[in-house]
């Protein structure tokens, strides 16, 4: 058994009551991915649609969340854009598996950018969905803890 982490699990489609914090295996980056320790995750309108099952994309249970900000913990072979210790933010795996509502998430480097030093992690996570020119796209952010 590998390293464990806390994550928000979506158990069924519906309201927020269908989610719970549970302990799961920590993901490991595959070739050309990075492992990010999530410091904050953004919550935006599309999260509610996926949670309700309006736009289901996978089998239950799953770990929702795409908008994240955190610190690179590890890089797989082939990654040159980031190094452990780099602060990053981005929209990971959208619209597929997500996984951002957890202590750790893996992602390809192209889904991430260096976090501006002038922003907190909560602010950067709230901006992640808005990077495509949709001001106010992200309603809020949270820290799992």
């Amino acid at each position: 058994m590998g390293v464990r982490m806390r994550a928000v699990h979506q158990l069924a489609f519906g309201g927020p009551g269908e989610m719970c914090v549970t302990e799961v295996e920590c993901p490991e980056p595959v070739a050309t991915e990075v492992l990010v320790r999530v410091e904050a995750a953004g919550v935006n309108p599309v999260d509610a649609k996926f949670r309700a099952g309006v736009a289901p994309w996978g089998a239950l249970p799953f770990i929702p969340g795409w908008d994240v900000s955190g610190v690179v913990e590890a890089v797989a072979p082939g990654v040159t854009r980031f190094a452990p210790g780099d602060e990053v933010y981005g929209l990971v795996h959208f619209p597929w598996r997500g996984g951002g509502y957890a202590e750790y998430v893996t992602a390809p480097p192209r889904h991430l950018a260096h976090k501006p030093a002038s922003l907190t992690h909560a602010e950067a996570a709230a901006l992640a969905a808005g990077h495509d020119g949709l001001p106010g796209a992200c309603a809020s952010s949270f820290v799992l803890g």
Side-chain angles (χ1 to χ4, degrees):
M1 181 155 68
V3 176
R4 308 287 287 173
M5 68 172 186
R6 290 177 303 145
V8 174
H9 246 155
Q10 176 84 28
L11 303 175
F13 294 114
E18 300 300 338
M19 298 189 306
C20 68
V21 176
T22 186
E23 203 172 276
V24 298
E25 292 285 322
C26 185
E28 293 188 26
V30 298
T32 70
E33 280 190 334
V34 299
L35 176 66
V36 176
R37 178 175 29 90
V38 177
E39 294 291 331
V43 181
N44 65 65
V46 75
D47 291 294
K49 290 180 181 178
F50 275 82
R51 185 188 68 231
V54 173
W57 53 268
L60 294 164
F62 61 88
I63 300 170
W66 296 275
D67 311 277
V68 300
S69 182
V71 178
V72 174
E73 288 289 312
V75 297
V79 174
T80 58
R81 187 172 171 198
F82 299 108
D86 287 350
E87 292 188 319
V88 297
Y89 76 112
L91 187 64
V92 299
H93 301 291
F94 187 80
W96 307 114
R97 66 181 165 106
Y101 290 4
E103 292 180 305
Y104 294 90
V105 66
T106 58
R110 69 183 177 277
H111 293 186
L112 300 166
H114 286 96
K115 182 186 79 62
S118 61
L119 297 178
T120 67
H121 283 290
E123 291 166 336
L127 287 177
H131 73 85
D132 59 1
L134 299 175
C138 192
S140 62
S141 62
F142 72 95
V143 176
L144 180 65

